[in-house]
Amino acid sequence: MLELNQLEQLLTFARCGTLSAAAEELHLSQPALSRSMQRLEAELSVPLFTRQKNRIVLNENGELAVEYARKVVEDALDMKEKLVAQERARHTIFVGSCAPAPLWTLLPQISAACPDMTITSEIRNLDRLQKSLEDHTYQLVVLPFAPKDPKLLCRKLGEEHLYFTLPPAHPLANRKSLHLADLDGETMLLRPNLGFWGPIVKQAMPRTKFLVQDNEAFNELVKFSILPSFVTDLSLRREGPPPDRVVVPIDDPCVQITYYACCEKKLAKRLKLGL
Amino acid sequence: MLELNQLEQLLTFARCGTLSAAAEELHLSQPALSRSMQRLEAELSVPLFTRQKNRIVLNENGELAVEYARKVVEDALDMKEKLVAQERARHTIFVGSCAPAPLWTLLPQISAACPDMTITSEIRNLDRLQKSLEDHTYQLVVLPFAPKDPKLLCRKLGEEHLYFTLPPAHPLANRKSLHLADLDGETMLLRPNLGFWGPIVKQAMPRTKFLVQDNEAFNELVKFSILPSFVTDLSLRREGPPPDRVVVPIDDPCVQITYYACCEKKLAKRLKLGL
DNA sequence: AGTAATTACGAGGTACGTAACAATC
DNA sequence: GATTGTTACGTACCTCGTAATTACT
């Protein structure tokens, strides 16, 4: 029977030009490779080399064989690669969310329900998330609304509400509540990777200059600057109140969010998700 | 290393459904096949089966693996097939001729010059032969003229001239020579596989009814009928004169043929043809 | 009982490496 | 003399078949 091994050896020889060099690259003794190529010829019942006493070169058949061997070996490697990828995907739940906060409770729930699964999560905009329900980029998607698709199983995850954090000296710090428009035009601090929160506030506060800082810098700037920033009830519960800041609720309906976890019904069973 | 062997075993299992049946088809013991599939899974580091104590079924990975294995194995078989075909072609000279007679002397010449070659010859019409010089269906072509292509090497092979054979009682049997038109309208005997001779005489004798008989029947009918037929100087030399027949030369220029053997110059060297 | 799959164990074959040889540069 | 390829020989590993075990129908 023809062996993939031998085809790889043939390719190596074609690349190296001599049996010696190829044998070394293959971590094989030269006589072993010589015999292996003889077996290959016998197996194919076709001579692949022209041999002088001291020299061995691919003949016309050999050149053709190399072409084919390349394809066969590549396909075999591709097979292995694709299988490993699929196997990994079988043990991974890809979660896409429109915002970070709902993942804080959802991901541990999934981990507990599917202890043998790897969970990978990403923050993506709403367009990407809705498309992904069709192309299966994500098995589970967190949206700020519940799509009406009958193939989907949707569960309400909880709510999130947005707040300003203002330095106590801020003129509006004593208000019971505010609207986004009340601070429009000022400069504000923003965390990165806020998902759909970014577009929401940018649209409602078009004249505001947002300074996006990584989390570490953000915390420092909240502490040592008077720039207003945002928190939500969920982030407050997770991280506690920011130091030396007044937290003021925002009344706009567009920042009162209800999250829904959605996945295909048949997947819900396989993933054992108690949605 | 992944083995083609194992992929074929996987395909057999997919076809048969049980290890036992597959093992039998593979002329292998069932434990051997079981272990081989375990090795395949280990090699791919991916489970391919779902196992109950008594039952083994392809899982999702297994199904995908079968798809790929099919392609890989097919390509490998295709490789072998193509190589064998090329190797055979390397040792075969395909000769196309417009008529049988020139092959009688040409084929032995080639055999003598290339003792390690197989010679295959076919009679084809002129269109096919001329095209074959481009598509390399034939390495060597016998034509009734010498193409002017500079890439071609052409050698004159010899001449062939057509004769009527008539029963002695035929009204024209005492003529020194005849024209094709002289017998047009009668019924004539014809051998099969005459190559371009068929079209020549049919065009020159449009009102003649030709009875095409295989060689054995043809000889009998020449002997026991009074139907006129053809011979050529070459066939006379090879087979002797027909019994109880008068042989009359035909004067038409279109039946005075000169044959040329033509092949590509570079091939002439490789085939060692002393053209 | 019969079929089907895995594990255990002994045997045979196959491919490897080392060594010896031949030939070319 | 150094490099390259083939042949010879002994060994080690690997895969096979038989047999035993377990489980399902």
Side-chain angles (χ1 to χ4, degrees):
Chain A
M1 182 62 202
L2 190 61
E3 306 252 355
L4 275 181
N5 221 347
Q6 296 174 308
L7 298 187
E8 272 195 302
Q9 291 171 359
L10 178 68
L11 294 180
T12 306
F13 169 76
R15 188 154 20 84
C16 298
T18 70
L19 285 182
S20 314
E24 187 175 2
E25 187 171 322
L26 290 163
H27 306 292
L28 208 67
S29 74
Q30 186 211 44
L33 183 58
S34 174
R35 284 186 303 251
S36 188
M37 292 298 93
Q38 289 168 13
R39 280 197 302 275
L40 180 59
E41 289 178 295
E43 170 58 39
L44 297 169
S45 55
V46 158
L48 302 176
F49 307 93
T50 59
R51 299 156 197 271
Q52 290 111 37
K53 290 291 175 187
N54 196 22
R55 189 148 202 82
I56 185 169
V57 189
L58 287 171
N59 69 9
E60 194 178 348
N61 295 330
E63 300 284 358
L64 184 62
V66 167
E67 305 260 318
Y68 278 95
R70 198 166 282 134
K71 187 169 65 164
V72 172
V73 170
E74 269 174 17
D75 282 352
L77 293 179
D78 187 47
M79 166 182 179
K80 182 166 181 175
E81 187 182 319
K82 291 282 170 49
L83 281 172
V84 169
Q86 168 170 304
E87 175 63 10
R88 195 175 46 194
R90 275 165 51 91
H91 289 287
T92 305
I93 303 175
F94 293 93
V95 180
S97 177
C98 63
L103 296 176
W104 299 338
T105 53
L106 180 60
L107 295 186
Q109 281 177 31
I110 301 174
S111 286
C114 311
D116 55 343
M117 288 286 192
T118 304
I119 292 117
T120 301
S121 65
E122 294 177 326
I123 309 291
R124 288 288 180 266
N125 67 41
L126 295 179
D127 274 356
R128 281 283 298 276
L129 293 177
Q130 289 196 272
K131 280 176 194 158
S132 77
L133 285 171
E134 292 157 19
D135 68 18
H136 301 96
T137 309
Y138 304 109
Q139 281 87 56
L140 189 65
V141 163
V142 177
L143 294 170
F145 54 86
K148 287 284 178 279
D149 192 326
K151 283 180 302 193
L152 294 181
L153 190 64
C154 296
R155 191 189 68 168
K156 179 174 169 180
L157 281 181
E159 302 184 359
E160 187 170 29
H161 306 280
L162 196 65
Y163 297 75
F164 287 119
T165 76
L166 306 174
H170 193 282
L172 300 176
N174 58 345
R175 294 283 195 88
K176 281 284 186 299
S177 70
L178 288 165
H179 286 270
L180 290 171
D182 294 333
L183 266 79
D184 193 16
E186 300 197 23
T187 295
M188 292 194 66
L189 289 172
L190 219 55
R191 290 181 186 275
N193 299 323
L194 292 178
F196 80 138
W197 284 117
I200 287 178
V201 297
K202 278 170 190 161
Q203 187 176 4
M205 307 175 72
R207 303 200 315 271
T208 301
K209 165 75 176 173
F210 293 103
L211 286 181
V212 178
Q213 300 293 315
D214 65 47
N215 281 324
E216 196 181 354
F218 179 90
N219 290 334
E220 292 300 303
L221 289 174
V222 167
K223 215 179 290 179
F224 297 114
S225 83
I226 59 161
L227 294 175
S229 68
F230 295 107
V231 293
T232 73
D233 47 356
L234 295 183
S235 73
L236 284 171
R237 194 186 308 163
R238 180 179 165 92
E239 301 177 8
D244 304 323
R245 287 276 175 157
V246 178
V247 175
V248 182
I250 304 175
D251 279 342
D252 304 57
C254 68
V255 296
Q256 321 304 327
I257 304 300
T258 302
Y259 292 114
Y260 296 86
C262 308
C263 75
E264 290 200 345
K265 283 178 179 168
K266 51 184 172 183
L267 272 173
K269 287 179 190 170
R270 207 187 113 203
L271 301 180
K272 303 175 197 156
L273 293 179
L275 295 182
Chain B
M1 181 61 202
L2 191 60
E3 307 251 354
L4 275 182
N5 221 348
Q6 296 175 307
L7 299 187
E8 271 195 303
Q9 291 170 359
L10 179 68
L11 294 180
T12 306
F13 169 77
R15 189 155 17 85
C16 297
T18 70
L19 286 182
S20 313
E24 187 174 1
E25 187 172 321
L26 290 163
H27 306 293
L28 208 68
S29 73
Q30 187 213 39
L33 183 57
S34 174
R35 283 186 304 250
S36 188
M37 292 298 93
Q38 289 167 14
R39 281 197 301 274
L40 179 59
E41 288 179 295
E43 170 57 40
L44 296 168
S45 55
V46 159
L48 302 176
F49 307 94
T50 60
R51 301 157 196 271
Q52 290 109 38
K53 289 291 176 187
N54 196 20
R55 190 146 202 82
I56 184 169
V57 188
L58 288 171
N59 68 9
E60 193 178 350
N61 294 330
E63 300 284 358
L64 184 63
V66 167
E67 306 259 320
Y68 279 95
R70 198 167 281 135
K71 187 170 66 164
V72 172
V73 170
E74 269 173 18
D75 282 352
L77 292 178
D78 187 46
M79 166 181 179
K80 180 166 181 175
E81 187 182 318
K82 292 281 170 47
L83 280 171
V84 169
Q86 168 170 306
E87 174 63 10
R88 194 176 47 194
R90 275 165 52 92
H91 288 287
T92 305
I93 304 174
F94 293 93
V95 180
S97 176
C98 63
L103 296 176
W104 300 337
T105 52
L106 181 61
L107 295 186
Q109 281 178 30
I110 300 173
S111 287
C114 311
D116 55 343
M117 287 287 193
T118 304
I119 292 116
T120 301
S121 65
E122 295 176 326
I123 310 291
R124 287 287 180 267
N125 66 41
L126 295 179
D127 274 357
R128 281 283 297 276
L129 293 176
Q130 289 197 271
K131 280 176 194 156
S132 78
L133 285 170
E134 292 158 20
D135 67 19
H136 300 97
T137 310
Y138 304 109
Q139 280 87 56
L140 189 65
V141 163
V142 177
L143 295 169
F145 53 86
K148 288 284 178 280
D149 191 326
K151 283 180 302 193
L152 294 181
L153 190 63
C154 296
R155 189 189 68 169
K156 179 175 170 179
L157 280 181
E159 301 185 359
E160 187 169 28
H161 306 280
L162 197 65
Y163 297 75
F164 287 120
T165 77
L166 306 174
H170 193 282
L172 302 176
N174 57 344
R175 294 284 194 85
K176 281 284 187 299
S177 70
L178 288 166
H179 285 269
L180 290 171
D182 294 332
L183 266 79
D184 194 16
E186 300 197 22
T187 295
M188 292 195 65
L189 289 173
L190 220 54
R191 291 181 185 274
N193 300 322
L194 292 178
F196 80 139
W197 283 118
I200 287 178
V201 296
K202 278 170 189 159
Q203 187 177 4
M205 307 174 73
R207 302 200 317 274
T208 302
K209 165 76 176 172
F210 292 103
L211 287 182
V212 177
Q213 301 292 316
D214 65 47
N215 281 325
E216 196 182 354
F218 180 90
N219 289 335
E220 292 299 303
L221 288 173
V222 166
K223 215 179 290 180
F224 298 114
S225 82
I226 59 162
L227 294 175
S229 67
F230 295 108
V231 292
T232 72
D233 46 357
L234 295 183
S235 74
L236 284 171
R237 194 186 309 163
R238 180 181 165 90
E239 303 176 8
D244 303 325
R245 289 275 173 156
V246 178
V247 175
V248 182
I250 303 174
D251 279 342
D252 304 56
C254 68
V255 296
Q256 321 304 327
I257 303 301
T258 302
Y259 292 116
Y260 296 87
C262 309
C263 74
E264 290 199 344
K265 284 177 179 169
K266 50 184 173 185
L267 272 173
K269 287 180 191 170
R270 206 186 113 202
L271 302 180
K272 302 175 196 156
L273 294 178
L275 294 182

